[in-house]
Amino acid sequence: MNRIVRRMTAMAACVLMAACLPAARAGDWPAKPIRIIVPFAPGGIADILARMLSPVLQEGLGQSIIVENKPGASGSLATEYVARAEPDGYTLLLGLAAPQTLNQYIYKVPYDGVKDFAPITLLNTNPLVLMANPSLPVHTVRELIALAGQKPGQIFFSDAGGLTQFSGEIFKYMTGAKISHVRYRGGAPAVTAAAAGEVQITFANYSDALAWMKSGKLRPIALTSMQRFPQSPEIPTIAESGVPGFDVQGWSALLAPAGTPPAVIDRIYKVVAAGLKDPVLREKMMNIGAEPGGNTPAEFKAFMEKESEKWRTFVERTGIKVEQ
């Protein structure tokens, strides 16, 4: 009898120790550098935000922050990489709207953008901009649709995959415009290609578009969001330009692999949320067209679930396809 009691006591102690291990690891964390994986090439909004965020995390967590770009597969390559990473808080993802909530409905991806991740916080929201090379004789959405009708298949748009490409595909679906896309490995290269005349138009994140619009090397036609953007109130939306209901909004966020200890997630969230309240960082973000976020992990999870359901419903209802 005593032997049985001793065995049960030992088993209970093992269970208790196992339950305490994650907390112990979380208490020791971080003990080494932390990586932020970016799904696109350097120069785009995700890369810029990761590098803006790095000093905030480094100061708040007391460890070096390494930004690592892993472009490919419309952002899915890096997203899958983090989904499969050890959930120890040392590999984070600078997540974006399409790889997290859209790609799984239009491509075959080996991850679930919501279930395979531990949400930390929404970093920002931002519109995309439809722009044209000045050599293209269009200034409005209606003029672009008309010209595409006159020259079917002769107008190309550049994109970096993901939401930038999907914006063009939705535009084609909702307007009937016969335009085609050319894929580039990042937002910055895609916009540069449009400015160089390799393609005639582009759908780009506001941050990628800003310098080109200011220089006059690309002409802004319309925003993809439902509302005009405070930084460029003169640019109309696609919805108000003759395509009612058009609504595509980009966003960026910080995530970790599912199973990351809640104490680690909470610590990262508090550091980032405090940083996003800093006036200097907020001004830097607004200057590139990134409306600062900072919601809680629970709020961000609900946001992602809503976004995922929105895109699932849209893809199923329209049967929309995306060119590879």
Side-chain angles (χ1 to χ4, degrees), residues 2 20 31 62 66 83 86 104 147-148 157 177-179 190 199 225-226 268 271 293 299 301 304:
N2 288 339
C20 291
I66 301 167
E86 188 71 23
Q104 63 201 46
L147 186 62
F157 70 91
K178 298 294 189 295
I179 58 177
V199 296
S225 52
M226 285 293 286
I268 299 171
V271 169
E299 290 168 339
K301 180 181 180 182
M304 278 206 304

Side-chain angles (χ1 to χ4, degrees), residues 56-318:
V56 175
L57 287 168
Q58 186 162 310
E59 182 178 350
L61 299 175
Q63 272 293 346
S64 299
I65 306 298
I66 301 167
V67 176
E68 187 174 329
N69 300 83
K70 284 186 177 294
S74 296
S76 295
L77 183 67
T79 308
E80 179 193 355
Y81 177 84
V82 175
R84 304 290 173 250
E86 188 71 23
D88 54 11
Y90 292 105
T91 303
L92 306 179
L93 176 69
L94 202 300
L96 293 145
Q100 295 302 137
T101 60
L102 170 61
N103 285 6
Q104 63 201 46
Y105 303 119
I106 55 177
Y107 305 119
K108 290 183 179 180
V109 298
Y111 64 84
D112 185 297
V114 177
K115 295 179 181 178
D116 289 342
F117 294 88
I120 298 174
T121 190
L122 181 72
L123 297 176
N124 78 284
T125 55
N126 62 275
L128 279 70
V129 190
L130 166 59
M131 299 182 292
N133 186 286
S135 64
L136 194 72
V138 300
H139 292 78
T140 67
V141 168
R142 292 183 186 278
E143 290 176 354
L144 176 58
I145 295 171
L147 186 62
Q150 296 167 16
K151 299 182 176 181
Q154 297 180 49
I155 296 177
F156 291 83
F157 70 91
S158 62
D159 66 79
L163 213 59
T164 56
Q165 182 185 355
F166 203 62
S167 295
E169 300 295 342
I170 295 176
F171 187 82
K172 289 163 58 176
Y173 175 84
M174 295 183 72
T175 66
K178 298 294 189 295
I179 58 177
S180 300
H181 86 109
V182 179
R183 172 77 58 81
Y184 290 82
R185 289 182 65 83
V191 179
T192 300
E198 294 177 20
V199 296
Q200 295 94 335
I201 59 175
T202 187
F203 287 85
N205 279 301
Y206 187 92
S207 61
D208 295 326
L210 190 58
W212 299 102
M213 292 191 296
K214 286 183 176 180
S215 70
K217 293 183 179 179
L218 285 173
R219 177 188 302 131
I221 303 296
L223 300 176
T224 62
S225 52
M226 285 293 286
Q227 291 82 33
R228 295 196 183 199
F229 195 63
Q231 265 67 10
S232 299
E234 74 283 1
I235 305 176
T237 66
I238 292 176
E240 69 180 281
S241 301
V243 192
F246 194 103
D247 182 20
V248 179
Q249 180 170 253
W251 52 264
S252 304
L254 198 62
L255 305 102
T260 301
V264 170
I265 296 297
D266 186 61
R267 188 171 173 193
I268 299 171
Y269 159 68
K270 286 177 178 175
V271 169
V272 175
L276 291 175
K277 292 178 182 177
D278 178 65
V280 175
L281 180 60
R282 291 181 69 86
E283 183 178 2
K284 287 180 180 178
M285 291 177 67
M286 289 299 291
N287 285 342
I288 63 168
E291 188 81 34
N295 55 6
T296 67
E299 290 168 339
F300 177 45
K301 180 181 180 182
F303 172 86
M304 278 206 304
E305 289 173 343
K306 184 177 179 181
E307 283 281 290
S308 182
E309 179 60 20
K310 177 186 78 173
W311 288 124
R312 183 193 68 78
T313 302
F314 180 84
V315 172
E316 287 185 358
R317 175 172 56 82
T318 62

